[in-house]
Amino acid sequence: IHNPNAPPAVAPLSVAELSRQIAAGTAPRVIDVRPPAGRAAAAFPGAHDVLDEDSHDRLAALPKDTPLAFLCHHGRSSRQAAEHFRGLGFTAVFNVEGGLDAWATEIDASVPRY
């Protein structure tokens, strides 16, 4: 059943488009949902937030029209996080398709793959 009050669906965001938006200064706020070990193995090169127990409430308190792009290793955990924030009422939620692995292969070969 369609709920007309539900926020828009989580939108896919390619690493190529994210890279273009970062360069243009129009990118959504990037939120890395990988565990600490993943972030230590390969950092996302750019301004971003991390999602953990300490930051969840702070991020959830952002204005609901703040564009958010969720990033993980391959794009699965980030989709779950994106759906969670959509459920909190955020209206511009993106999942970075392919995650940091796609970023390393398509955008920045200096980012370690793991």
Side-chain angles (χ1 to χ4, degrees):
I1 299 173
H2 177 70
N3 176 354
N5 299 319
V10 172
L13 181 63
S14 71
V15 291
E17 180 61 17
L18 177 59
S19 177
R20 189 193 68 72
Q21 291 178 2
I22 289 171
T26 60
R29 190 168 184 151
V30 176
I31 301 172
D32 189 339
V33 305
R34 295 176 299 147
R39 296 194 306 266
F44 177 73
H48 64 282
D49 293 282
V50 297
L51 180 60
D52 56 24
E53 289 179 15
D54 296 331
S55 66
H56 179 275
D57 291 348
R58 177 178 53 80
L59 293 169
L62 291 168
K64 298 304 182 212
D65 61 351
T66 303
L68 303 175
F70 291 86
L71 171 89
C72 68
H73 192 191
H74 289 111
R76 289 184 289 277
S77 299
S78 55
R79 175 162 296 285
Q80 292 175 338
E83 290 292 352
H84 172 75
F85 275 77
R86 177 179 176 253
L88 296 177
F90 283 85
T91 58
V93 182
F94 302 89
N95 183 49
V96 180
E97 299 293 309
L100 193 74
D101 196 60
W103 185 274
T105 57
E106 297 177 35
I107 306 299
D108 184 353
S110 73
V111 173
R113 294 185 70 200
Y114 66 98

